[in-house]
Amino acid sequence: MSALFRLTSKVASLAKSGRIASARQVFDEMPERDTVAWNTMLTSYSRLGLHQEAISIFTHLIFSDAKADGYSFTAILNTCASLRDVRLGAQIHSLVIRSSYNTYLEVNNSLIDMYGKCSDTLSASKVFRDMCSDVRNEVTWCSLLFAYMNAGEFESAFDVFIEMPKRVVYAWNIMISGHAQCGKIETCLSLFKEMLLESECEPDCYTFSSLMNAACGGDSSSLVYGRMVHAVMVKNGWDSAVEARNSVLSFYAKVGCKDDAMKEFESIEVLSQVSWNSVIDACMKTGDTEKALEVFKLAPEKNIITWTTMVAGYGKSGDGEKALRFFVEMMRSEVYSDHFAYGSVLHACSVLALLGQGRMIHGCLIHRGFQGYAYVGNALVNLYAKCGDINESNRAFGDIASKDLVSWNTMLFAFGVHGFADEALKLYEEMIASGLKPDKVTFIGLLTTCSHSGLVEEGCKIFKSMVKDYGVPLEVDHVTCMIDMFGRSGHLAEAKELATAYNTLVTNASSNSNSSWEALLGACSTNWHTELGTEVSKVLKIAEPSEEMSFVLLSNLYCTSGRWKEAEDVRREMAELGMKKTPGCSWIEVGSQVSAFVVGDCTSHPRIEELSETISCLQYDMRNPVTFGP
């Protein structure tokens, strides 16, 4: 056995056991290296997801005495696919052609896969068409099919699916999972029926996993579809497969059925990492953070998904401090964090407006090269906007490599809320020019911008174009924004007319059904219109007799109008109904310590006397014409 073969085997063995640093040390100390040795190190990095290291080792290989071969190109193309780096992938493609490896089946399959995962269907199709028809295999066809499905080009994907010489199970699964990701559960079920009746393929555990994922859409029919697929899975004997069981567990977790998820969890004999993560997710989604923590402590192993689920769960439940603590603990445990972990902790920082901690995390993720990811970039835009740093928010927006609709919407909201109406409207024009179609959230942001900046005419134009030009269905939030806009500008007659005109839409809404009437009542309070306010409050009392908001707004209206007796009557009625106004709360970060203040609580803060004295001085200065002028 030669020394080269022995050392290469040792590198492979160390890498497979997870000791990648030791493997690299042995590799660096090798007196000579052939292509096999380079490929061993390269594929080890690629499989472990250490993409930057894989790119570095490939670069050194190109300039070494050894020559890259088909295995080298396949490994580095897989890295490009994982990074969704189509620019680097195209550069590797040119090297493939110059090295005359463009006739190798495995390399061409990797090229199609890379372009497909980067949503570059034109390049993927070109590689496919340049191949001889007798050379293509099932992997080639499935890679092209995935490319079209991944890009959402369903018609082209269907054409490829029909053209395939043989539709293997993997091809059916690609079609089903692709439609599942878009929430098209009826199409998924139709494909599944066709697979059972017209093809020679039998569904496998991945087929059922895709169907279960399709049932996680979130509408009222999701639970029914999910239970139906679960029943078919049991009937076909796939309920014992680990992947299928985990998909069922994940389904019940995502739809918030904690009891069903726990029942499924307890019935699994051999629990995998996915099983533990799904139960933690189910507990977090139902708000049971204590149970989630209990399961987390019991989990024998904790991967990046386990930690991220805990961080995201605490962030969504409003406990940003615990989310931060878990993130720090995760970093100390030497778990290789990804962009989802960074995005989750940034969300937790934005909930508490923790600018200092957010900036430190921003520095960490720049060091790791995650600032260009849309999920992380969106979280940064949101964080800086909520902390009042609109310039840094805009800079984070510019750093996002491939902006999605959420990126544009988040930046649009940031400009609008901070009063930069011109910038928000200009950004909207740029978004349209980029080819993205606005959604309901985009128009909520635009209408909010017009409302805060008093752009009534512009707001009316946007409101009309929403349905007419873009086919976005009208929802309660859009009506509420319009009423708020009219109310802020003193157009109460138009606000009342709009609320009345869309009363049916408001009544039939599944949530926040009376927000538009509450906005109209708030407008009455702002404009001291007692008569209309009294009329609107009657509507609200009938619609939501147990809600405090209508009583509070009406009481405030009477107070601002000087009608103290009526205001006292409303407060008395609230007391008789057992209602209490939820006290307002604000917080500020000073010296990396967060101080919270609740209305009516004058004792909890240790420096409350000093703060009260400072506020009194500020009030005096603000009222003194010598300080600020008349």
Side-chain angles (χ1 to χ4, degrees), residues 181-400:
Q181 289 174 10
C182 299
K184 298 182 177 181
I185 189 165
E186 289 83 4
T187 307
C188 292
L189 292 174
S190 176
L191 284 164
F192 180 63
K193 290 176 184 176
E194 186 181 347
M195 179 182 182
L196 293 175
L197 298 173
E198 299 180 18
S199 76
E200 299 177 356
C201 298
E202 288 290 331
D204 59 12
C205 60
Y206 299 105
T207 312
F208 288 108
S209 296
S210 299
L211 288 169
M212 291 305 302
N213 290 334
C216 297
D219 56 20
S220 57
S221 61
S222 295
L223 187 58
V224 176
Y225 282 128
R227 292 191 188 281
M228 182 172 66
V229 173
H230 188 187
V232 175
M233 187 189 300
V234 173
K235 185 178 178 181
N236 282 266
W238 281 107
D239 58 316
S240 58
V242 176
E243 294 83 0
R245 293 295 292 271
N246 285 336
S247 69
V248 173
L249 185 56
S250 298
F251 162 72
Y252 286 125
K254 287 176 181 176
V255 297
C257 295
K258 189 182 75 172
D259 293 339
D260 290 304
M262 290 301 297
K263 189 185 297 183
E264 194 68 24
F265 177 74
E266 291 166 359
S267 68
I268 299 176
E269 294 180 3
V270 181
L271 294 168
S272 67
Q273 186 73 65
V274 177
S275 309
W276 288 98
N277 292 346
S278 296
V279 171
I280 294 171
D281 187 40
C283 295
M284 281 299 188
K285 276 189 166 60
T286 55
D288 194 348
T289 55
E290 291 184 6
K291 184 66 176 178
L293 181 59
E294 181 184 332
V295 177
F296 175 83
K297 290 179 178 178
L298 290 171
E301 294 182 15
K302 300 170 181 67
N303 62 8
I304 181 60
I305 298 173
T306 318
W307 286 98
T308 303
T309 303
M310 293 297 293
V311 172
Y314 278 122
K316 288 176 182 176
S317 64
D319 198 340
E321 292 184 10
K322 280 189 179 178
L324 276 169
R325 282 204 295 269
F326 259 87
F327 181 79
V328 172
E329 191 176 339
M330 178 189 75
M331 298 292 281
R332 287 174 179 166
S333 66
E334 297 183 352
V335 173
Y336 190 85
S337 56
D338 61 7
H339 61 289
F340 290 110
Y342 280 105
S344 297
V345 73
L346 286 169
H347 170 76
C349 289
S350 67
V351 170
L352 292 177
L354 300 176
L355 183 58
Q357 284 87 338
R359 281 177 172 158
M360 285 190 288
I361 293 165
H362 190 178
C364 291
L365 65 89
I366 288 174
H367 180 69
R368 298 293 299 276
F370 289 129
Q371 72 273 19
Y373 285 69
Y375 185 71
V376 173
N378 297 343
L380 282 169
V381 172
N382 184 46
L383 167 69
Y384 286 120
K386 285 189 175 180
C387 294
D389 193 343
I390 193 67
N391 291 328
E392 197 62 41
S393 182
N394 194 22
R395 189 176 292 111
F397 175 76
D399 287 340
I400 301 173

Side-chain angles (χ1 to χ4, degrees), residues 438-445 466 472-473 475 478:
D439 64 355
K440 63 180 183 181
V441 180
T442 312
F443 286 103
I444 292 172
M466 181 175 67
V472 176
E475 295 189 7
H478 302 121

Side-chain angles (χ1 to χ4, degrees), residues 5-16:
F5 179 80
R6 181 174 54 80
L7 290 172
T8 302
S9 299
K10 187 175 181 180
V11 170
S13 177
L14 289 169
K16 284 181 180 178

